[in-house]
Structure formats: C-alpha cells, structure tokens
Amino acid sequence: MKPMKARRAEMYAQVADRAKETALSLGICADLAEHIGAAVADGLAEDFGGQMMSFPLGSAYRLSRRELSILADHAGGMSWQHLIRKYHMTERGIRLLIRRANLRRSGSVEQMPLL
C-alpha cells in the first residue's frame, strides 16, 4: 500500500485533472481550465484537509441547476444552436453535458465515461 502522503497527492492531482478535463469539455480555454483544476483541488484540500473520508463506489453528485436547466430546455425542444448561445458552450460540450446528466439521472453512473 502506498504511503498516505503519496495517496493524498495522487488524489489531489486526479481531482485537478478531472476538473480541468471537465472545464475543457465545456468549452473553457486550456489556460483557464488548468487554473480551475488547481483551484478545485486547493479548495478541496482547504475545506476537507485532515478529515477521513470514504467515497462509495458507483455514486455521483446530484445534477447541478445548470444541468437541470439545459436538460429542461433540451427536452422542451430548444435547438442545439439556441442551447449553445444561451449557455455559452460548444456543441460538443452541450452534447457531453446532456449525456453525462442523463446517465447520472438514470443511475447508470458506472457506464459514464471518464473525460
């Protein structure tokens, strides 16, 4: 088993990478995505540092208000172009977000691809 310090550093690096990859998938530029990833990892360390935590397998955080809004607009028949303009995202970002949100909503999180 890895020493705790190494495991902790690995977790923060993975959190930063995941946040960065998610920001990139939403159409945010690479420099800003990098800063977002680092800020999320730093915030996690500041808010929860020193605590023992366990993350159950197959669980995901609830849908955000923004995801719910995009899903509602999409279900209501809003065009891709209107969604792109309204939410300031790329078409790819909107499609990925809708796919992830629908998987999360349906409980099929285990099938959700890593970005």
Side-chain angles (χ1 to χ4, degrees):
M1 179 173 260
K2 295 180 183 178
M4 187 58 69
K5 189 174 184 178
R7 293 176 65 199
R8 186 172 44 247
E10 182 180 342
M11 181 193 74
Y12 287 132
Q14 287 179 357
V15 166
D17 288 345
R18 175 57 72 102
K20 175 186 171 185
E21 291 167 2
T22 300
L24 288 170
S25 77
L26 296 173
I28 294 173
C29 72
D31 285 344
L32 185 54
E34 183 82 30
H35 288 294
I36 289 170
V40 168
D42 287 345
L44 184 65
E46 287 175 22
D47 293 345
F48 299 101
Q51 296 183 36
M52 295 293 291
M53 301 181 83
S54 174
F55 298 95
L57 295 175
S59 63
Y61 188 65
R62 70 180 186 273
L63 294 173
S64 70
R65 279 187 237 141
R66 186 171 195 236
E67 287 173 317
L68 291 171
S69 179
I70 291 170
L71 287 172
D73 286 346
H74 179 256
M78 187 176 288
S79 72
W80 290 106
Q81 290 306 312
H82 194 131
L83 289 168
I84 289 165
R85 282 191 304 273
K86 181 175 180 178
Y87 294 100
H88 307 285
M89 293 175 62
T90 64
E91 181 175 347
R92 181 175 183 271
I94 291 278
R95 288 183 185 275
L96 286 171
L97 187 145
I98 289 171
R99 182 168 183 242
R100 283 192 308 267
N102 282 330
L103 286 170
R104 195 175 300 152
R105 180 189 280 171
S106 72
S108 301
V109 176
E110 297 83 18
Q111 300 171 11
M112 191 166 44
L114 298 177
L115 294 177

